Amino acid sequence: MVASAIGASEGHLARLLRLRYSCSFRAARRRARMRLAKARLENSIDSIKEIAARTGYSSTSQLDRDFRMEYAIAPGAYRSRHLARGVIAQPR
């Protein structure tokens, strides 16, 4: 769908991703999801379940697996660490 949306073949898109980012489409998609999830953990009070759904995961366990692989910490622990540092505004 992405290749079609930009008017390229799947093979051409795959080559572009390999040349520019040295990764596959799946890896690029996972990285983008992780950046978005990390930002939501830092800047929102959304639940982990809501963040998983909003970043394209069908379950929190999938988000947890990828987040741990990318950042070596669970999403909840990451948020707690930032709360302790006062990075996320506390709800009133």
Side-chain angles (χ1 to χ4, degrees):
M1 289 175 22
V2 172
S4 176
I6 65 168
S9 69
E10 290 179 25
H12 184 66
L13 178 59
R15 281 188 296 280
L16 290 174
L17 286 169
R18 286 259 180 239
L19 287 171
R20 178 72 169 105
Y21 300 105
S22 302
C23 67
S24 67
F25 177 78
R26 280 186 170 176
R29 182 181 62 189
R30 184 179 50 78
R31 286 180 190 168
R33 285 176 168 176
M34 290 298 94
R35 284 192 302 272
L36 181 56
K38 184 178 175 190
R40 286 190 174 275
L41 288 165
E42 293 171 352
N43 300 307
S44 78
I45 58 170
D46 294 346
S47 70
I48 303 295
K49 186 175 182 176
E50 289 172 317
I51 291 171
R54 291 178 189 206
T55 54
Y57 288 95
S58 59
S59 71
T60 56
S61 62
Q62 291 174 329
L63 170 64
D64 186 68
R65 179 199 63 225
D66 283 356
F67 201 89
R68 284 177 188 263
M69 190 167 41
E70 187 76 18
Y71 300 111
I73 190 170
Y78 180 82
R79 174 177 271 170
S80 295
R81 184 177 290 173
H82 280 274
L83 278 173
R85 293 180 185 160
V87 175
I88 300 175
Q90 297 287 333
R92 295 176 192 212

